[in-house]
Amino acid sequence: MVYMEKAKVYFTSKITPESLVEIYKSLGVTLNGNVAVKLHSGEDGNQNYVKPEFVKNIINYVNGTVVECNTAYNGARNETSKHKELMEKHGWNKYFNVDIMDSDGYVELPIENGKVIKKNYVGKSLNNYDSMLVLSHFKGHPMGGYGGALKQLSIGVASSEGKSYIHSAGKIMDQNKLWDNIPEQDLFLESMADAASSVHNHFKGNIAYINMMLNMSVDCDCCAKAEDPCMKDIGILASLDPIAIDQACIDLVMKSNDPGRDHLLERINSRHGIHTIEAASELGFGSREYELINID
């Protein structure tokens, strides 16, 4: 049995642009070189995504480039030209350099111990970066149950073809055939865990995670028509462990006495969302055991 020290997860109830920088400083790390900041830029029409002004301080602090990849479903982000237009509309280009990482195709990352998939197709320009800050908006998700650090690592960093590959549990890469190849739910969740491990390991030692527990709808920022948030904002978390930070967010929701808690948990549980964390833990690139450190 391998002994693994509890992961450190830092927490603040202060939800401000300044607190994002402070909680990052708590990690005691410096992301070196060319820094990718992976976040969700928001589907056209979505009202819940975290706006550029809120994350401006932290992205400037790490001198990061905002990175995204094209989607595997129809909308305003499934083609590079449309995606760039929406990034402009949402104001990301106003403050930051923006990179649609799969605009020139994809590269393959190996997943030697993957439970379901053995390779991950990520945006080609991922190789241009030395380190990554994964800036996740924690909320529900129509397919995965919830969206957090693990989803950002997997679906978020995957190219359009890679997203289809993960969603289909390794069956296909063609987004036009995706919805005819949806697998049993746990295979999809395990594929997400597999893909997440490949990106974490790619940047090992040069990757950090921040989860923002605000605007918590049962729907993802990828939904053009999303439900309004069902819970009050909780806070911001930071860790070097993507599994621990997602587990901590789930636990904070479960411990909450907010009247909207049950609605969010129903979405998470009905999609077996916790299984992504279970599968990721089995792969060994993080731990579900953590110490929550309040920095308020």
Side-chain angles (χ1 to χ4, degrees):
M1 182 176 179
V2 178
Y3 172 77
M4 183 176 286
E5 185 181 352
K6 285 185 177 181
K8 289 182 170 61
V9 178
Y10 297 89
F11 173 80
T12 178
S13 60
K14 298 172 183 174
I15 304 176
T16 66
E18 293 76 19
S19 64
L20 280 171
V21 176
E22 290 308 309
I23 202 163
Y24 170 77
K25 289 179 179 178
S26 299
L27 294 173
V29 298
T30 301
L31 296 177
N32 295 310
N34 200 10
V35 182
V37 179
K38 180 63 190 75
L39 49 74
H40 200 305
S41 58
E43 182 58 66
D44 196 20
N46 185 278
Q47 75 276 32
N48 298 324
Y49 73 96
V50 179
K51 307 303 187 288
E53 290 77 12
F54 186 78
V55 294
K56 184 169 180 271
N57 287 6
I58 183 60
I59 295 174
N60 288 340
Y61 186 81
V62 300
N63 194 27
T65 297
V66 170
V67 301
E68 269 278 38
C69 282
N70 292 315
T71 64
Y73 57 85
N74 291 327
R77 300 185 303 132
N78 67 325
E79 296 174 3
T80 299
S81 58
K82 292 192 296 181
H83 201 163
K84 285 182 176 179
E85 287 179 11
L86 185 61
M87 295 290 278
E88 185 85 37
K89 178 181 176 181
H90 281 179
W92 295 103
N93 301 72
K94 180 179 177 182
Y95 303 108
F96 316 112
N97 291 326
V98 173
D99 179 13
I100 309 298
M101 291 194 293
D102 62 335
S103 58
D104 290 319
Y106 57 81
V107 292
E108 185 180 311
L109 296 182
I111 316 172
E112 294 177 2
N113 65 335
K115 289 168 66 91
V116 178
I117 58 176
K118 301 297 183 182
K119 51 194 172 183
N120 184 24
Y121 301 100
V122 300
K124 188 175 182 179
S125 69
L126 185 77
N127 284 335
N128 295 340
Y129 300 96
D130 304 296
S131 54
M132 177 174 277
L133 175 62
V134 182
L135 201 53
S136 304
H137 175 204
F138 183 88
K139 69 283 181 193
H141 192 276
M143 294 189 71
Y146 83 95
L150 292 172
K151 179 179 175 292
Q152 278 281 35
L153 277 177
S154 55
I155 300 295
V157 177
S159 67
S160 179
E161 297 88 352
K163 286 177 172 65
S164 295
Y165 194 73
I166 295 166
H167 272 291
S168 66
K171 287 183 181 178
I172 55 109
M173 294 175 65
D174 184 349
Q175 64 173 308
N176 296 314
K177 299 178 181 178
L178 173 58
W179 306 112
D180 296 324
N181 288 275
I182 298 299
E184 188 271 325
Q185 177 70 356
D186 279 3
L187 290 177
F188 160 55
L189 301 177
E190 289 163 10
S191 297
M192 276 209 296
D194 289 342
S197 72
S198 71
V199 179
H200 177 82
N201 291 335
H202 176 78
F203 286 111
K204 200 156 192 176
N206 293 294
I207 189 165
Y209 303 90
I210 295 176
N211 280 11
M212 301 169 285
M213 300 187 75
L214 70 163
N215 298 350
M216 287 182 287
S217 167
V218 297
D219 289 327
C220 179
D221 298 340
C222 58
C223 300
K225 294 182 179 179
E227 270 195 28
D228 286 336
C230 62
M231 285 187 70
K232 290 181 181 178
D233 298 346
I234 291 179
I236 298 171
L237 295 83
S239 184
L240 301 180
D241 186 323
I243 299 171
I245 196 172
D246 277 8
Q247 182 67 62
C249 287
I250 295 286
D251 291 344
L252 285 170
V253 171
M254 292 181 69
K255 292 173 184 175
S256 171
N257 59 5
D258 189 285
R261 180 200 73 157
D262 290 348
H263 186 44
L264 182 56
L265 284 178
E266 190 279 331
R267 171 59 59 90
I268 296 169
N269 294 333
S270 65
R271 272 64 166 183
H272 204 189
I274 197 69
H275 188 58
T276 307
I277 296 175
E278 293 170 343
S281 179
E282 289 176 8
L283 293 172
F285 65 100
S287 173
R288 297 179 71 183
E289 299 296 320
Y290 64 90
E291 175 188 4
L292 193 65
I293 302 166
N294 194 323
I295 67 165
D296 287 348

